[in-house]
Amino acid sequence: MPKGTIHNVCRDSLRELRVYLPILGFVLRATNVRNAFEAHDPLQRLTNKVMGTDAKLIISSEWEFSPFVYRAGTGPLSGFVLIGLPAPESSNPLLLPLAGHELGHSIWEHERFSTNYEQLIEEGILKELINNRWSDYNVLYPQYRKEDIESGDMFAQQSLRPAYTWAKLQVEEMFCDFFGVCLFAESFLYAFAYLLSPGTSGLRSLRYPNITRRVSHHVQAAKVLGVNVDAEYESSFEKELEPADPATALLVSLADVVSASFEGELIKLAKNFASKNDVPEKNLDNVRDISKLFSAYVMPIKKPASLVDIMNAGWECNMNENLWEGIPQIKGIDEKDTRRNRDRILRDIILKSMEIAEIYERLEKPA
């Protein structure tokens, strides 16, 4: 075999290994008993509603302390939805609403929603630059004139490429957040705050709206979708650091302004998509009934219930500081021990409720 051919085969093999090894590890960890297997079937049904009946869901874990999703693309993994949750929280069902955000990424790719916004984003960046930020840009890039930008000069356009990219990524993240609110209502906001509040030190991520704007979008989405928001939700997050580099600061500020302009449209898109695919909505009566079972009788559900209702009841109980304070069997040797007992039992009841809901689901299916 010619030396060049061997070189190419080795290069391609290494590339495939680099791509698929992390995914193989992800699939292997999906079998670990630390994962909440009770959540798989209800999330699989949800996935089938929004991604089609052939879609296959794999839930696994990763040591990155953040939920994530692998992009299946059009290759061998086409048709798979791979959602990862933080390994230290793998058995914590209270974080499951964040899977709604990650599912949103798969939907965004599957439905090719980005194609609806690419041209609008580029036009928005140019408009904002010319009308409001030209003096800042001109200091950083004196070699380009407005005429160069407006005529599509390749090099001038290239200077704006990061702003286009970040705006597109931010728009996708906003849609995913809104879809998470659509799917899981208040429980999505609670889970988001649990994981990310008050924030992480260091520079903001450029691919997301900064945390202040992100939670502001949540509040607006909640208002449109009829979801209650805790009065202290926005103030529970700290401001993030903006980039100090002038060019990065200018470009990401352009991306921020343009992505924010799509807030209303993206909320509507998420809402319509959820409605069109008949995803279960929160039933307030069911949430109250489940919450009463959890808090008054320390027992799981005793009739059919959706995942969204179980999650919202679970979070209602978790937010109750006085939950089970009069039950001696839950009281520990000190306050910390009592809290640990309470959290463990609540999470067990939530997981058991998912299991019972699955039994009802299967029994109700026609033979």
Side-chain angles (χ1 to χ4, degrees), residues 50 100-101 104 107-108 113 117 171-183 221 224-225 262-279 281:
V50 297
H101 173 101
I107 293 167
W108 186 266
F113 283 147
Y117 295 94
V171 164
E172 178 177 345
E173 297 294 347
M174 289 165 64
F175 168 81
C176 295
D177 276 354
F178 298 154
F179 192 68
V181 179
C182 279
L183 288 187
V224 173
L225 298 169
F262 292 103
E263 179 192 68
E265 189 175 330
L266 290 167
I267 294 172
K268 186 177 179 183
L269 177 66
K271 181 182 178 184
N272 289 346
F273 186 81
S275 177
K276 174 186 168 187
N277 289 280
D278 198 26
V279 299
E281 295 182 2

Side-chain angles (χ1 to χ4, degrees), residues 94-367:
L94 291 169
L95 277 189
L96 286 174
L98 297 179
H101 173 101
E102 305 307 329
L103 188 55
H105 283 296
S106 296
I107 293 167
W108 186 266
E109 183 176 87
H110 185 259
E111 299 294 323
R112 299 182 179 179
F113 283 147
S114 63
T115 58
N116 300 335
Y117 295 94
E118 289 173 355
Q119 183 64 34
L120 294 173
I121 286 171
E122 295 199 1
E123 291 173 359
I125 294 284
L126 292 179
K127 184 178 177 183
E128 176 66 16
L129 175 70
I130 299 293
N131 292 344
N132 300 319
R133 305 302 301 275
W134 181 255
S135 59
D136 298 329
Y137 178 84
N138 195 234
V139 170
L140 295 165
Y141 301 96
Q143 66 272 39
Y144 302 127
R145 303 166 301 163
K146 282 187 180 179
E147 292 78 6
D148 297 327
I149 296 289
E150 291 172 330
S151 65
D153 177 88
M154 183 177 68
F155 297 103
Q157 288 289 330
Q158 196 62 30
S159 70
L160 296 171
R161 187 54 51 193
Y164 297 144
T165 302
W166 294 332
K168 289 172 189 173
L169 292 171
Q170 288 185 17
V171 164
E172 178 177 345
E173 297 294 347
M174 289 165 64
F175 168 81
C176 295
D177 276 354
F178 298 154
F179 192 68
V181 179
C182 279
L183 288 187
F184 287 101
E186 288 84 356
S187 64
F188 177 84
L189 303 180
Y190 289 136
F192 186 89
Y194 172 87
L195 194 68
L196 294 178
S197 173
T200 56
S201 59
L203 191 67
R204 61 169 283 193
S205 170
L206 304 177
R207 62 174 297 151
Y208 292 87
N210 65 38
I211 196 66
T212 304
R213 185 158 65 82
R214 196 173 176 191
V215 296
S216 171
H217 289 319
H218 290 176
V219 172
Q220 180 59 26
K223 183 179 178 182
V224 173
L225 298 169
V227 172
N228 294 321
V229 183
D230 189 281
E232 297 180 353
Y233 181 67
E234 287 187 274
S235 62
S236 64
F237 294 88
E238 295 178 350
K239 286 185 178 179
E240 295 175 314
L241 293 175
E242 294 292 334
D245 171 63
T248 305
L250 170 65
L251 294 172
V252 78
S253 70
L254 290 171
D256 286 344
V257 169
V258 173
S259 64
S261 69
F262 292 103
E263 179 192 68
E265 189 175 330
L266 290 167
I267 294 172
K268 186 177 179 183
L269 177 66
K271 181 182 178 184
N272 289 346
F273 186 81
S275 177
K276 174 186 168 187
N277 289 280
D278 198 26
V279 299
E281 295 182 2
K282 186 189 76 172
N283 182 306
L284 189 55
D285 291 335
N286 288 345
V287 173
R288 285 175 181 154
D289 290 345
I290 298 169
S291 181
K292 184 176 180 182
L293 285 173
F294 286 2
S295 57
Y297 307 108
V298 199
M299 64 179 289
I301 61 169
K302 57 180 184 178
K303 63 180 182 179
S306 69
L307 181 61
V308 61
D309 292 343
I310 294 171
M311 292 314 312
N312 277 280
W315 266 108
E316 272 191 16
C317 292
N318 189 65
M319 301 291 285
N320 179 4
E321 291 291 333
N322 300 319
L323 180 69
W324 300 333
E325 64 177 2
I327 300 180
Q329 293 87 344
I330 296 176
K331 191 173 178 58
I333 56 176
D334 55 27
E335 189 176 332
K336 187 176 179 182
D337 193 41
T338 300
R339 177 77 192 195
R340 186 162 47 238
N341 290 341
R342 198 205 79 160
D343 290 350
R344 175 177 54 79
I345 292 168
L346 177 60
R347 292 170 187 186
D348 283 350
I349 288 178
I350 294 172
L351 289 170
K352 181 56 71 177
S353 294
M354 291 180 196
E355 193 176 339
I356 294 171
E358 186 61 25
I359 293 171
Y360 280 120
E361 174 74 23
R362 297 190 184 195
L363 289 176
E364 286 181 352
K365 276 187 178 178

Side-chain angles (χ1 to χ4, degrees), residues 36-49 55-59 96 103 280 305-307 351 354-362 365:
F37 294 128
E38 295 89 343
H40 182 272
D41 283 338
L43 283 176
Q44 174 69 70
R45 276 193 298 281
L46 195 55
T47 301
N48 291 141
K49 277 185 175 291
K56 301 174 184 66
L57 173 69
I58 298 177
I59 305 175
L96 286 174
L103 188 55
S306 69
L307 181 61
L351 289 170
M354 291 180 196
E355 193 176 339
I356 294 171
E358 186 61 25
I359 293 171
Y360 280 120
E361 174 74 23
R362 297 190 184 195
K365 276 187 178 178

